[in-house]
Structures are given as C-alpha cells and as structure tokens.
Amino acid sequence: MPPTLPDLDALFAARHSCRAFRPGPVPNGVIEQILTTAQKVPSWCNAQPWKLTITSGPETESLRNALGHAADSGGHAPDLAFPTGYSDEYLQRRRSCGWALYEAVGVQKGDREGSARQMRQNFDLFGAPHCAIISSPAELGAYGAIDCGGFITAFTLAAQAAGVASIAQAAVASFAPMLHQHLCIPKDRVILCAISFGYADTDHAANSFRTDRAELSEFVDWRG
Ligand SMILES: Cc1cc2nc3c(=O)[nH]c(=O)nc-3n(C[C@H](O)[C@H](O)[C@H](O)COP(=O)(O)O)c2cc1C
C-alpha cells in the first residue's frame, strides 16, 4: 500500500530545522537510504544535477574549523547571490522565525551580541556529526538550483522518516571560495547550500520552537 496523504502530511509536519545535534554519527547505510529516497525527486530532463560532498568524523571537524576561520575573516562570497531584500509578508515571516529562535534560546530583542552568537552556531554546524554540501553544474543556472532545491527538501523529509534530524544552511554556502578549496569542489559547479544532519538533541532550547505556515489564501490565486 503506498503511503496516504495523511501519512505524508504527518511526515511533513514532524520535520523541522534542527539547530542542536547530538555528536553520534548516522550509520552509512542509513545515509545511503536517505540519499536513495531523496534522489527520486523530478528534475528537468532528468538531469539530476545535484552532487553532494558529505563529511563525517574528522572531516566534519575540519570543516567546522575552516568555517570558523572563514567567519572570523568575514569574507562572505556565495556562488549564488543571496537575496537582495525581503519585503512585506516575506520580511514579516523572516522576522517572526528569527524572533521565535532567539526567544527559545533566551536572546532578547536588541541583543546584538547574543544574536550574533546564535548566528555563529551555523558555522559550528549546530554540533552536527555530518554536513552535506550541495552543488549544481554552473551551466544549468537557475534550473539546476530549482532541481537541487527539490532534492534538498526531499533529503530533509527522507531523513525525518529515518529518525534523522537536519537543517538546510545557506549561511554555510556564503563561504563558497573556502568550500571549493577545502573540499576540492570544482569551480564549474555552483555551491548552493549545506545540509547539516545527525540525531537531534531534543532537550536543547534551540529545538523547542516550531515555525508556522501561511493560509492558502495568502499564496494561492484560484481561477475558475
Ligand atoms: C534553502 C534554505 C536555506 C536555509 N538556510 C538556513 C541557514 O543558513 N541557517 C538557519 O538557521 N536556517 C536555515 N534554513 C532553515 C529555515 O530557516 C527554515 O526552514 C524555516 O525557518 C522554516 O522552519 P522549519 O524548517 O523548522 O519548518 C534554511 C532553509 C532553506 C530551505
């Protein structure tokens, strides 16, 4: 029996971005199963443009160190330009998810040092034992990014189904030149995003809040 829509809805509802992990690794067989499931997403011409560089053990520690140094030196240079701005409802949603996180971890509004400290957790990969760096061939442009976005979502859901927590991290991709060099990712590939993953520290305050979603009427224009 294929899973029903309520089964899928329960899986989607259970997934959330994890911002505190336990250090223990995910067995290779589980990671392989997550990847095999996630790669079933559609892509234009079935090009399957995603490639993942996945770290474990000392390689994750080495990446954490390199990200820490890059964050200290401050040279943000993503391969894919970051959004130029968030307006209207997008700004409002961005603010409310940021405030929910800061409230959960006890950072008051206006506490710039506290929010910078929490932001910095991105470069510690929130303590995750694994990080996947996702890249797409530069020649595929925005459509490669669309296909990889689908893969990223599928990965997070397949991981959830396997009891593995995850978080997509554009913040990590902001240090693209360092990532290309450190992980030998060819220059003809665009680094889009990272996914840190592992087993959730469910008691950690950073994992104690959930984001909400808009009403259908806010994003659907029904015709006919
Ligand atoms: C492409 C992408 C990039 C993201 N980058 C970051 C990031 O750099 N740091 C972070 O803390 N969360 C990041 N997130 C997580 C979002 O903040 C999160 O998905 C959103 O607030 C909805 O919450 P939920 O995933 O818990 O449902 C990213 C999510 C996506 C899909």
Side-chain angles (χ1 to χ4, degrees), residues 73-105:
S73 61
H76 295 248
D79 281 348
L80 184 69
F82 273 20
T84 52
Y86 287 82
S87 310
D88 308 320
E89 67 265 44
Y90 310 116
L91 178 62
Q92 186 264 318
R93 290 172 194 157
R94 183 182 191 212
R95 281 187 175 146
S96 41
C97 92
W99 284 333
L101 169 61
Y102 292 138
E103 195 181 359
V105 297

Side-chain angles (χ1 to χ4, degrees), residues 12-13 15-19 82 93-94 97-98 101 118-119 121-123 126 149 152-153 156 166-173 192-194 209-213:
F12 279 51
R15 186 214 56 81
H16 67 94
S17 292
C18 177
R19 293 186 178 84
F82 273 20
R93 290 172 194 157
R94 183 182 191 212
C97 92
L101 169 61
Q118 176 57 40
M119 167 61 192
Q121 288 291 310
N122 271 286
F123 308 123
F126 302 108
I152 290 165
T153 299
T156 65
S166 65
I167 181 166
Q169 288 182 272
V172 169
L192 296 172
C193 197
F209 77 99
R210 296 292 178 270
T211 53
D212 56 15
R213 294 297 185 267

